[in-house]
Amino acid sequence: MAFTDTGTGPDGEDIADPRGDRAQHIRNDTAFFGHPRGLGFLAGSEMWERFSFYGMQALLMLYMTKLLLTPEVEPGVFGLAAFRALLSGIFGPMTDLAFAAQTFGLYSGTILVTPLIGAWLGDRVLGRTKTVSIGALLMAAGHLTMASERAFLIALLLLILGGGCFIGNLQAQIGGLYAPDDSRRTRAFGIYLMALNVGALMSPLIVGTLGEKLGFHWGFGAAGIGMLFGLVIYLVGRPHLAPDLISKGERPAPLNRAQWVTVAALIVTFLPRIFANAAAQQAYGIMVVWADGAVDRTIFGWEMPVTWVLTADGILTILGVLLANRIWMRLARRGREPGDIAKIGIGNMMIVVAFVTVGLLATLPKVPIFGWLGFYLLLTASYAWFDPPGKALISRYAPASINGTMFAVSNVASALGFFLLGWLGRFYEPLGPSLYFMLTATLPIGGAALMFLFHRPLRRALEAAESRETGQGAP
């Protein structure tokens, strides 16, 4: 397999061997809170990408149900009638709310499927740096195109293509900052998750407020500008990232048996993401529509915009990551820290508890805002337990030649969760909020059971495959 280095050093010099001095220097770097400084630039880029993504996510259901699907606007949206007819032909007739939920799920899911194409471009054609840059530009264009109701579907297409180029490749670049056995890796993805949630924290305050108070187009425009900020940070930090490796010319060597064992074991760890995502992401779609009328958001006579709860969501997720890291470090000192696979199971059970809680709250005539915030406290605490550990497993064990691809495959599992979320939306109105949220609570139970029952065999399979791959003895 022929590799071409597309990276450059801090002074612009070409790097002949991406696995040589520069890579070692990056891995030894501890300038960013004990981590390589490249992590700071990648986390900053992702912060702004999530700022734009969560701004879009916060407004999309409200935008569709309050403006786009009104009788005055819907007929003028290019291609929307044909799109709705297609979905109705596949899934059956839908109310406006069910159609909005189905569109939300398809958009959010497809943006996680296209990273398969983006990973191929990053690994085989353009390199990760160029692919991420193109993705950022496409996403910015998509958000700005949302200024026109008529171009709604075109804007979604641009966002989906841009996300495909951006998401998996950026995550894969984190792994290049660490040696395979570097214990900082899982905590690095925790830092990355915290930065992501800084973007999620800012987005409702800026994008949500502009969208609710001044007009949806103002909110979408702010999301586009945020995406451009992310691109600038990424390009400035390029000298501190591991060099790109592009496979050109010869066909890549086929995976050996140990590598296939690794791939199979990792795919098993992806399965809980399907149902965890289908449950957790309800909090940013249908639940926002529900809360708009069901939650008492009045504070000292002032009604809080419904999208502002996502700011609390971002704050609580950051606190959840800090708390989880503290718990893991304390348990590690006693030799009792759960493995990454067991952590995924714990995170799934925390989602179950969160949705049982909100299902009970939904039986009240008016839900107090602090009860609703309590739901987000439970939900966001779960993210630290199943997201960073899952990414750390891929980063450490996935074969180097398909590392980016395996991140993309994990995103496909999340995408399937969004597709399931969209399909489930049709049951919200017949069941009512309380029963619907209780139904949602059942989804992550299977994933948790899978991780608890098989975490030891999966860990042994991954470690044995890694030992055979590196030529080391069994750990």
Side-chain angles (χ1 to χ4, degrees):
M1 184 187 303
F3 289 100
T4 300
D5 171 31
T6 62
T8 56
D11 299 321
E13 74 275 13
D14 292 332
I15 305 297
D17 181 4
R19 289 158 292 190
D21 293 342
R22 180 183 170 199
Q24 189 61 42
H25 173 73
I26 288 172
R27 290 174 175 180
N28 292 337
D29 184 10
T30 58
F32 184 72
F33 300 104
H35 292 263
R37 56 172 58 87
L39 177 64
F41 288 101
L42 291 174
S45 302
E46 180 65 8
M47 179 189 76
W48 285 106
E49 188 273 334
R50 292 289 95 177
F51 170 86
S52 66
F53 177 84
Y54 283 116
M56 176 70 174
Q57 195 176 55
L59 291 179
L60 184 56
M61 286 285 289
L62 294 173
Y63 173 65
M64 293 189 69
T65 55
K66 288 189 170 185
L67 177 62
L68 194 78
L69 300 181
T70 58
E72 299 80 15
V73 176
E74 184 174 0
V77 181
F78 177 75
L80 190 63
F83 178 64
R84 185 163 190 165
L86 175 64
L87 293 187
S88 297
I90 297 172
F91 301 109
M94 289 177 281
T95 64
D96 284 349
L97 179 61
F99 174 60
Q102 188 73 69
T103 302
F104 177 87
L106 286 172
Y107 155 73
S108 301
T110 306
I111 206 171
L112 295 175
V113 171
T114 49
L116 283 171
I117 300 172
W120 173 74
L121 290 173
D123 289 342
R124 310 291 183 205
V125 182
L126 299 175
R128 289 172 182 158
T129 301
K130 289 181 180 178
T131 306
V132 168
S133 301
I134 291 170
L137 290 171
L138 287 172
M139 293 182 78
H143 287 298
L144 296 174
T145 302
M146 288 290 289
S148 167
E149 289 94 3
R150 181 172 174 78
F152 173 70
L153 293 180
I154 296 172
L156 291 188
L157 179 61
L158 289 170
L159 289 166
I160 288 167
L161 294 175
C165 291
F166 191 95
I167 295 171
N169 283 297
L170 197 77
Q171 292 174 354
Q173 285 184 306
I174 293 177
L177 301 175
Y178 300 91
D181 59 349
D182 194 328
S183 62
R184 298 176 296 169
R185 186 186 300 266
T186 300
R187 292 180 180 86
F189 281 105
I191 293 172
Y192 182 78
L193 181 60
M194 284 194 291
L196 179 159
N197 279 280
V198 171
L201 184 158
M202 296 189 299
S203 187
L205 293 175
I206 300 174
V207 177
T209 302
L210 289 173
E212 287 193 71
K213 300 300 183 183
L214 294 183
F216 290 109
H217 306 140
W218 286 91
F220 294 134
I225 293 171
M227 195 66 245
L228 293 175
F229 286 163
L231 175 60
V232 170
I233 292 171
Y234 179 77
L235 294 177
V236 170
R238 184 185 174 193
H240 304 291
L241 306 181
D244 281 349
L245 299 177
I246 307 176
S247 173
K248 291 185 176 180
E250 303 173 17
R251 292 179 62 85
L255 299 182
N256 58 36
R257 184 179 181 278
Q259 291 171 327
W260 277 116
V261 168
T262 298
V263 169
L266 287 173
I267 287 175
V268 173
T269 70
F270 298 164
L271 296 179
R273 297 178 71 91
I274 300 173
F275 299 102
N277 209 46
Q281 296 302 321
Q282 300 279 357
Y284 313 103
I286 274 182
M287 186 170 287
V288 175
V289 177
W290 164 75
D292 194 34
V295 175
D296 182 3
R297 294 174 283 113
T298 303
I299 303 173
F300 301 116
W302 170 76
E303 186 176 62
M304 184 188 79
V306 67
T307 54
W308 277 29
V309 75
L310 302 184
T311 294
D313 174 85
I315 295 171
L316 294 173
T317 302
I318 294 169
L319 293 176
V321 172
L322 292 172
L323 178 61
N325 281 339
R326 179 63 62 88
I327 292 171
W328 297 340
M329 291 172 66
R330 184 166 295 180
L331 290 173
R333 285 195 292 268
R334 291 185 273 175
R336 299 181 60 186
E337 181 181 5
D340 286 336
I341 296 170
K343 288 173 183 174
I344 294 172
I346 294 170
N348 275 256
M349 285 309 301
M350 294 169 76
I351 297 173
V352 174
V353 174
F355 274 92
V356 168
T357 300
V358 80
L360 294 173
L361 287 171
T363 62
L364 299 175
K366 201 73 172 178
V367 177
I369 189 169
F370 291 106
W372 190 38
L373 289 173
F375 157 77
Y376 278 98
L377 173 63
L378 292 168
L379 181 69
T380 56
S382 73
Y383 297 156
W385 288 84
F386 76 80
D387 189 72
K391 288 183 170 65
L393 286 170
I394 302 168
S395 179
R396 175 174 179 178
Y397 292 109
S401 62
I402 59 166
N403 196 273
T405 301
M406 290 303 293
F407 271 102
V409 173
S410 75
N411 285 331
V412 171
S414 297
L416 293 174
F418 273 114
F419 295 152
L420 178 58
L421 173 156
W423 180 77
L424 287 171
R426 68 191 57 246
F427 299 109
Y428 174 79
E429 289 165 304
L431 290 176
S434 181
L435 287 178
Y436 183 78
F437 295 142
M438 289 294 188
L439 171 66
T440 300
T442 66
L443 296 177
I445 293 175
L450 181 67
M451 294 296 97
F452 290 144
L453 290 173
F454 295 103
H455 75 279
R456 287 189 178 89
L458 287 170
R459 187 189 65 203
R460 285 196 296 265
L462 289 169
E463 291 177 348
E466 183 184 45
S467 296
R468 289 193 295 270
E469 183 71 10
T470 58
Q472 298 171 355

